[in-house]
Amino acid sequence: MASDRGALCVEVLEAVPECKRLSRLLECFSNEFARRPSFVVRCSGRVNIIGEHVDYCGYPVFPMAIEQTILLAVAPSDDNLLHIKNADNNFKPYKCNVLNYLIDVPTVGGPHWYQYVLCGVKGILENSTIQHDSPRGMMILLSGNIPPASGLSSSSAIVSATVLATAYMHNATLNKQTLATISAECEKFIGTQGGGMDQAIAYLAQEGCAQLIEWNPLRATPIQLPENAVFVIANSLSEANKAATSDFNQRVVECRLASRLLAKQMKLNWRDLNRFADLQKALGYSLEQMVSLVHANLGLNVYTRTELITLLEVTEEDFADNLLTPNTRNSQTFKLRQRALHVFQEALRVQQFIETAKSTSEDCISRMKTLMKQSHESLRTINECPHDNLDRIVAISDRLGVGTRLTGAGWGGCVVALCDGVEESKRFVETLKTEFYTSIPKAQGCDIGSVCFTTSPQRGAEIYLIDKHQNIWTSSS
């Protein structure tokens, strides 16, 4: 976070991106709280171009920030309360004491929207390694145009924006990597065992480039995409809230179990090797060798709970308490072979995609399209996180020669499509309008441009400072 809080003065509101939304947010904040906000945090959603369900296994991913954002207007309060409101009246407000609150996630339906805000606050104020001012109440008003449960990281953008806002409010001096790490960790307060991709791109994104995100240590490498590459995001309009079911965490647990079982079979300290990347490093294998290892050692399509307890030589209590997550502790069957094959093969596709993007060959976009298609097929058939609407969009894409894959956790949400040039992207969008969206009840009467659109890489999270005259200053995160 920048130490100079007012480095760049923007004298007119129109000079700030999203000026109309920002202007409405400032007016709404004044109406709600009878005062101006002190600052606004902007945090983008993201689309992952390739590398799905691999970040929590320690492998690189290739996302970019998109134009849709979360805006948080924030001011201090004098009553030790968190006043959390949404500019959309369909989302109910919430209020609690900043010194004493619980994030009690409902067992049915997943977290309430404001609980993602609470995660961000808790992530800063309860982190013992961070120096910050004494906890104080805050007035927070959220405006978001990232479609919820669409695979574009709306929930993680809320968490990341709140982490930055809370750190700034409490004078905690943190760099972008630390902010990303804290944001990833505190999302676990609502039960999501993610790998950190969403939070990393939220802070480390650069305008004009997608980012190769790697781990341990966290680092981002900007990758220039081929000049003619155009990306289209198409929302299937089937919501997929990964925190609302155990489906996502089941995949995480199956990967952890597969890594540990392989480690035990290879006579390694298996309890410390719950990520495939760490196992690969310990073995000194290539990704191709890891694929061969899976074929040779994970012979069953389905492992029962009893079989895994026997193979790992653990007790039922140990298995439930230490090897599962709260929302998977009753799972009775596990597909280790399939999850491992998807992860290692998807990690290979990320490598090949980056190498292809960097090349100057005439067929680079065609090769990138093929890798995206392979990724979707693996997610659909091996990792088993499909949805009929996603597959319908992909079928249309295949007919038009567009490279398309689901993006995000799956089970609904969005696809990301790679087109070769503007004309192909226009043809693809128009075909989806006539052949897909006309048959989707949720699409009737809505602005199709908000659910199917081209996008380009945007920059990471920022703070807009606001003075009494409503002038705006931008401060880098």
Side-chain angles (χ1 to χ4, degrees):
M1 183 159 33
S3 58
D4 182 354
R5 294 191 163 216
L8 176 62
C9 179
V10 182
E11 293 296 347
V12 290
L13 189 61
E14 286 73 15
V16 176
E18 301 186 302
C19 59
K20 291 183 179 178
R21 273 186 65 213
L22 183 52
S23 180
R24 288 195 298 269
L25 180 62
L26 298 181
E27 181 181 0
C28 186
F29 191 97
S30 296
N31 291 336
E32 290 287 342
F33 297 114
R35 60 156 297 174
R36 295 182 180 88
S38 301
F39 61 91
V40 173
V41 170
R42 180 195 62 78
C43 188
S44 293
R46 66 96 189 97
V47 61
N48 190 26
I49 297 172
I50 196 164
E52 217 68 71
H53 284 271
V54 300
D55 59 336
Y56 53 76
C57 297
Y59 288 108
V61 290
F62 191 51
M64 65 181 181
I66 60 175
E67 296 170 17
Q68 284 70 17
T69 62
I70 295 296
L71 298 177
L72 285 187
V74 185
S77 69
D78 299 322
D79 55 9
N80 279 338
L81 296 181
L82 295 173
H83 304 261
I84 306 171
K85 297 189 177 184
N86 199 307
D88 183 343
N89 291 327
N90 290 317
F91 296 93
K92 68 177 183 178
Y94 185 76
K95 182 166 57 177
C96 65
N97 192 308
V98 70
L99 302 174
N100 183 24
Y101 68 87
L102 297 175
I103 304 175
D104 190 13
V105 179
T107 55
V108 178
H112 298 297
W113 75 273
Y114 55 81
Q115 291 180 310
Y116 293 102
V117 176
L118 296 177
C119 282
V121 176
K122 186 180 180 73
I124 293 295
L125 297 185
E126 297 190 7
N127 191 316
S128 60
T129 66
I130 298 170
Q131 291 186 342
H132 57 73
D133 293 346
S134 298
R136 63 186 308 182
M138 292 187 286
M139 303 172 186
I140 300 173
L141 181 64
L142 182 149
S143 168
N145 63 358
I146 308 170
S150 64
L152 299 180
S153 191
S154 59
S155 56
S156 294
I158 295 174
V159 174
S160 298
T162 310
V163 164
L164 179 54
T166 307
Y168 190 83
M169 175 67 74
H170 292 83
N171 293 305
T173 303
L174 306 171
N175 61 32
K176 294 178 180 181
Q177 285 79 6
T178 303
L179 287 165
T181 300
I182 292 170
S183 298
E185 284 299 313
C186 68
E187 195 159 334
K188 295 177 182 178
F189 294 144
I190 49 89
T192 302
Q193 301 289 320
M197 170 181 63
D198 300 350
Q199 299 80 9
I201 193 64
Y203 295 106
L204 303 176
Q206 293 182 25
E207 192 166 6
C209 295
Q211 298 282 334
L212 178 65
I213 306 290
E214 299 171 276
W215 318 103
N216 297 324
L218 172 62
R219 59 190 179 272
T221 304
I223 304 294
Q224 195 70 49
L225 295 162
E227 185 177 352
N228 219 36
V230 179
F231 289 94
V232 174
I233 295 175
N235 193 337
S236 71
L237 295 177
S238 303
E239 292 192 354
N241 187 338
K242 66 184 179 184
T245 72
S246 63
D247 291 333
F248 180 84
N249 281 358
Q250 180 76 15
R251 301 302 182 276
V252 177
V253 163
E254 287 168 332
C255 288
R256 291 175 180 173
L257 288 171
S259 181
R260 282 168 159 152
L261 181 56
L262 288 171
K264 193 171 194 305
Q265 292 168 336
M266 301 301 289
K267 312 299 183 185
L268 299 173
N269 186 1
W270 64 270
R271 284 192 182 270
D272 294 336
L273 294 170
N274 69 341
R275 297 196 316 165
F276 286 134
D278 298 330
L279 173 63
Q280 181 189 351
K281 182 178 180 180
L283 291 170
Y285 282 10
S286 67
L287 284 168
E288 291 86 351
Q289 288 174 311
M290 295 303 292
V291 172
S292 298
L293 182 70
V294 172
H295 283 300
N297 290 273
L298 297 180
L300 299 180
N301 285 329
V302 179
Y303 286 83
T304 67
R305 190 184 185 102
T306 301
E307 286 168 338
L308 287 176
I309 288 172
T310 300
L311 288 168
L312 292 171
E313 299 180 286
V314 296
T315 64
E316 167 68 36
E317 183 181 22
D318 186 10
F319 186 79
D321 291 346
N322 299 315
L323 304 185
L324 303 181
T325 61
N327 66 346
T328 62
R329 65 180 291 122
N330 294 322
S331 296
Q332 298 299 315
T333 58
F334 305 86
K335 296 185 177 182
L336 308 192
R337 175 187 176 88
Q338 298 90 320
R339 309 309 177 230
L341 286 175
H342 168 75
V343 169
F344 294 127
Q345 292 168 350
E346 183 79 348
L348 269 170
R349 282 187 286 269
V350 173
Q351 284 185 4
Q352 295 163 357
F353 195 93
I354 298 301
E355 292 168 1
T356 305
K358 290 179 177 179
S359 74
T360 57
S361 61
E362 292 184 358
D363 67 340
C364 64
I365 291 181
S366 175
R367 289 158 57 197
M368 291 160 69
K369 286 180 177 180
T370 297
L371 289 167
M372 291 177 71
K373 292 178 183 178
Q374 292 171 352
S375 174
H376 181 80
E377 187 61 18
S378 180
L379 288 160
R380 187 179 71 87
T381 61
I382 302 178
N383 212 51
E384 298 176 292
C385 48
H387 189 280
D388 288 346
N389 282 358
L390 294 173
D391 291 339
R392 285 180 57 198
I393 296 175
V394 171
I396 294 170
S397 306
D398 289 345
R399 195 180 77 241
L400 296 176
V402 173
T404 304
R405 58 180 290 280
L406 72 84
T407 186
W411 301 285
C414 289
V415 301
V416 56
L418 172 57
C419 299
D420 191 349
V422 174
E423 290 305 314
E424 184 171 273
S425 69
K426 288 180 178 178
R427 184 164 58 252
F428 176 54
V429 169
E430 288 304 314
T431 303
L432 288 183
K433 287 179 181 179
T434 57
E435 297 188 16
F436 178 74
Y437 288 109
T438 54
S439 63
I440 303 297
K442 284 186 178 180
Q444 309 314 307
C446 80
D447 175 17
I448 299 300
S450 68
V451 297
C452 184
F453 49 87
T454 59
T455 191
S456 59
Q458 303 297 307
R459 62 191 183 283
E462 291 178 325
I463 298 169
Y464 299 147
L465 304 179
I466 300 163
D467 72 5
K468 63 182 180 180
H469 304 297
Q470 298 288 66
N471 289 329
I472 309 299
W473 285 259
T474 57
S475 177
S476 170
S477 67

